[in-house]
Amino acid sequence: MVHVLGSRTLIRPTDPERSRAFYGGQLGLAVYREFGEGPDRGTVYFLGGGFLELSGRSSTPLAPSVRLWLQVPDAAAAHDELRAEGGEIVRAPVREPWGLIEMWIADPDGIPIVLVEIPADHPLRYRPGI
């Protein structure tokens, strides 16, 4: 299970069942709620401080400019877990020049997803007085 740490994002997938298998099965996102019935029912997943809603159906995938950025506590562990689940890894975890560790995957409709680990020594983690 990929542990996502932390707004609501709405996706209208071309195949809701396939997308539920990806987000709920491969990524292991916890279901917040479901609504409607049958294969086109809506499913809302927890995303740490927000939600991801799969709702309705689209005849075409989203525009290529749509991307998801999900924070995980350990990109290497997420990589291993996704590989074990048969998930497609677009790019294995790499420490970027800006200090974040990023791994790239895609959902079943090709939506690019960046799984990001913020290392303990990165400025985004610096919290004075905590």
Side-chain angles (χ1 to χ4, degrees):
M1 173 195 319
V2 175
H3 298 282
V4 176
L5 306 174
S7 183
R8 181 180 210 120
T9 300
L10 172 64
I11 294 176
R12 298 205 186 281
T14 58
D15 183 340
E17 289 291 342
R18 183 180 66 176
S19 291
R20 272 192 288 280
F22 174 76
Y23 287 103
Q26 288 187 352
L27 289 186
L29 298 179
V31 174
Y32 170 65
R33 70 183 184 98
E34 291 190 295
F35 54 93
E37 296 178 2
D40 289 343
R41 72 188 178 280
T43 305
V44 180
Y45 296 98
F46 282 107
L47 285 183
F51 301 96
L52 172 68
E53 180 177 330
L54 301 180
S55 181
R57 181 185 292 263
S58 175
S59 59
T60 59
L62 289 172
S65 61
V66 174
R67 304 209 184 311
L68 294 176
W69 192 89
L70 304 175
Q71 185 179 337
V72 298
D74 185 335
H79 178 264
D80 293 345
E81 292 166 6
L82 284 171
R83 281 188 42 187
E85 288 285 329
E88 179 184 344
I89 309 296
V90 175
R91 191 188 79 179
V94 172
R95 184 180 288 265
E96 301 291 354
W98 45 90
L100 299 176
I101 300 169
E102 296 184 4
M103 177 175 78
W104 302 346
I105 62 175
D107 90 341
D109 283 328
I111 295 172
I113 300 171
V114 181
L115 298 181
V116 179
E117 175 185 343
I118 302 173
D121 62 345
H122 193 276
L124 286 175
R125 286 267 183 122
Y126 178 68
R127 296 180 183 164
I130 295 179

